[in-house]
């Protein structure tokens, strides 16, 4: 992937005829934010020397900008990559350990547009929002909003889209707690219904009916959620909404039969081959 980053970088500077002075300006922008950037990473990462660190940030930011720009112009993804490679890149973008802070990507993106004098360029958060629509587990209506624009990085952005629209519990409400799986609940008389709510978290139980928003499960969902859960454990211990949602689903699903019941009710749609694979993956999150 290092060679692809260099190709994207070359394309990046050639498109607007960027000379060495402009390149130095962008690198100076990164250098001015070096301390803030290093604070975003582990102690081990801080051992990287200055020149290597600045180059790594620049190439990483340019790659993300160019990849998302190409994706925004082609629903199938950049033509330079095989479909399997595009899927791998999309997964890499969700990995918590791979995150590059948005504040520096946005700065490079904006300076690039100023240098190229592109008055109609796509705003940075509109660009990353557009790319987010390729993740099938997100509801179709993904829009740039105030919460999204506060995202620290791409994993944080996906989480913000997932929790957007969640209903707040009032003082008398309590989170739904489960002791039995879907099949056992159905045997006890509980009815299941799918809702078209835009937020996965808006699960309700009233008058014997458990209403759950539709969930699309594929390998992207599993990998992205695993990283979002890790993020919540680091930064959102008191607002670990996705962790709570997965815990709820883990209690609801103990076997392929539980998945089959939820699939039959339209609550789950998946592309994992069989219901056993869904049960196994949910239970391992």
């Amino acid at each position: 992937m290092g060679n692809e980053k260099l190709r994207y970088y070359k394309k990046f500077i050639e498109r607007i005829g960027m000379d060495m002075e402009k390149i130095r300006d962008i690198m100076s922008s990164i250098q001015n934010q070096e301390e803030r950037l290093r604070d975003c990473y582990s102690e081990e990462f801080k051992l990287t020397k200055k020149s290597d660190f600045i180059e790594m940030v620049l190439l990483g930011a340019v790659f993300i900008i160019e990849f998302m720009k190409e994706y925004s112009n082609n629903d199938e993804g950049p033509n330079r990559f095989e479909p399997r490679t595009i899927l791998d890149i999309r997964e890499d973008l969700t990995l918590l350990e791979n995150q590059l802070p948005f504040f520096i990507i946005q700065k490079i993106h904006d300076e690039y547009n100023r240098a190229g004098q592109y008055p109609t360029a796509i705003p940075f958060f509109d660009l990353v929002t557009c790319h987010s629509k390729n993740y099938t587990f997100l509801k179709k209506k993904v829009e740039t909003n105030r919460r999204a624009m506060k995202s620290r990085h791409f994993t944080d952005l996906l989480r913000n889209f997932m929790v957007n629209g969640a209903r707040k519990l009032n003082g008398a409400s309590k989170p739904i707690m489960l002791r039995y799986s879907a099949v056992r609940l159905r045997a006890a008389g509980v009815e299941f219904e799918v809702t078209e709510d835009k937020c996965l978290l808006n699960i309700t139980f009233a008058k014997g009916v458990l209403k759950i928003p539709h969930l699309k499960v594929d390998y992207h969902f599993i990998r992205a959620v695993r990283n979002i859960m890790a993020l919540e454990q680091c930064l959102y211990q008191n607002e670990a909404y996705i962790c709570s949602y997965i815990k709820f689903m883990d209690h609801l699903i103990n076997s392929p039969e539980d998945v089959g019941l939820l699939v039959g009710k339209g609550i789950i749609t998946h592309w994992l081959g069989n219901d056993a694979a869904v049960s196994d993956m949910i239970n391992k999150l």
Side-chain angles (χ1 to χ4, degrees):
M1 196 54 65
N3 289 335
E4 291 300 334
K5 287 184 178 181
L6 288 172
R7 290 192 188 98
Y8 267 137
Y9 175 70
K10 184 177 180 180
K11 178 181 177 181
F12 177 80
I13 62 176
E14 286 180 348
R15 184 184 297 129
I16 58 175
M18 190 177 286
D19 56 25
M20 285 305 301
E21 182 178 355
K22 292 176 182 176
I23 294 173
R24 280 194 293 269
D25 287 343
I26 290 180
M27 295 186 76
S28 293
S29 296
I30 299 173
Q31 185 173 341
N32 291 339
Q33 297 289 335
E34 182 183 2
E35 184 176 352
R36 182 183 175 190
L37 282 164
R38 286 184 181 270
D39 286 342
C40 296
Y41 297 97
S42 65
E43 291 297 323
E44 293 80 3
F45 194 77
K46 291 180 180 179
L47 297 176
T48 306
K49 64 182 183 180
K50 181 186 290 287
S51 59
D52 291 343
F53 181 80
I54 293 173
E55 179 180 313
M56 181 202 69
V57 171
L58 177 60
L59 293 180
V62 168
F63 180 85
I64 291 171
I65 292 168
E66 290 295 306
F67 179 78
M68 290 188 177
K69 276 180 176 290
E70 289 189 1
Y71 222 129
S72 69
N73 295 325
N74 184 353
D75 290 340
E76 300 298 321
N79 294 325
R80 70 174 66 235
F81 297 118
E82 295 293 327
R84 178 66 255 180
T85 303
I86 292 173
L87 293 177
D88 289 341
I89 293 172
R90 284 175 52 196
E91 289 177 8
D92 283 349
L93 288 175
T94 69
L95 293 176
L96 187 57
E97 62 267 29
N98 283 354
Q99 295 310 300
L100 193 59
F102 272 174
F103 73 81
I104 196 65
I105 306 177
Q106 182 175 12
K107 188 170 185 61
I108 292 172
H109 172 271
D110 293 348
E111 289 194 13
Y112 158 80
N113 287 327
R114 276 197 298 274
Q117 298 182 343
Y118 297 137
T120 60
I122 303 175
F124 174 71
F125 274 99
D126 287 351
L127 181 65
V128 294
T129 296
C130 181
H131 178 77
S132 300
K133 295 177 182 179
N134 295 296
Y135 294 84
T136 57
F137 59 86
L138 293 176
K139 298 295 182 178
K140 289 183 179 180
K141 195 174 179 59
V142 173
E143 298 178 341
T144 303
N145 53 48
R146 187 177 300 176
R147 180 189 287 271
M149 294 181 72
K150 292 181 179 179
S151 301
R152 295 171 172 83
H153 44 62
F154 195 65
T155 307
D156 197 30
L157 178 72
L158 294 182
R159 177 188 178 274
N160 283 332
F161 283 139
M162 291 183 75
V163 305
N164 187 45
R167 288 194 296 267
K168 293 185 178 181
L169 297 175
N170 59 41
S173 300
K174 295 181 180 179
I176 299 173
M177 304 298 291
L178 293 178
R179 295 181 61 186
Y180 303 107
S181 68
V183 169
R184 294 185 67 183
L185 288 172
R186 183 67 189 88
V190 174
E191 294 290 336
F192 290 84
E193 289 185 11
V194 63
T195 71
E196 294 303 319
D197 198 297
K198 296 174 184 177
C199 181
L200 288 173
L201 308 181
N202 291 336
I203 299 169
T204 61
F205 180 71
K207 299 181 180 180
V209 180
L210 186 57
K211 296 183 178 181
I212 305 174
H214 181 223
L215 170 64
K216 296 180 180 180
V217 180
D218 59 10
Y219 290 103
H220 289 304
F221 170 78
I222 299 298
R223 294 186 175 99
V225 163
R226 185 176 289 121
N227 284 277
I228 291 170
M229 291 172 70
L231 173 66
E232 287 192 334
Q233 290 164 19
C234 293
L235 297 177
Y236 298 102
Q237 293 94 336
N238 297 324
E239 298 177 301
Y241 302 130
I242 304 304
C243 288
S244 296
Y245 172 79
I246 293 300
K247 185 176 182 179
F248 173 86
M249 296 302 290
D250 182 42
H251 287 166
L252 196 61
I253 296 172
N254 282 338
S255 68
E257 289 73 27
D258 294 314
V259 176
L261 188 156
L262 298 176
V263 169
K265 294 294 183 178
I267 293 169
I268 289 180
T269 301
H270 71 82
W271 294 266
L272 300 188
N274 56 63
D275 294 343
V278 179
S279 175
D280 185 56
M281 284 195 169
I282 293 293
N283 295 154
K284 287 182 177 177
L285 282 172

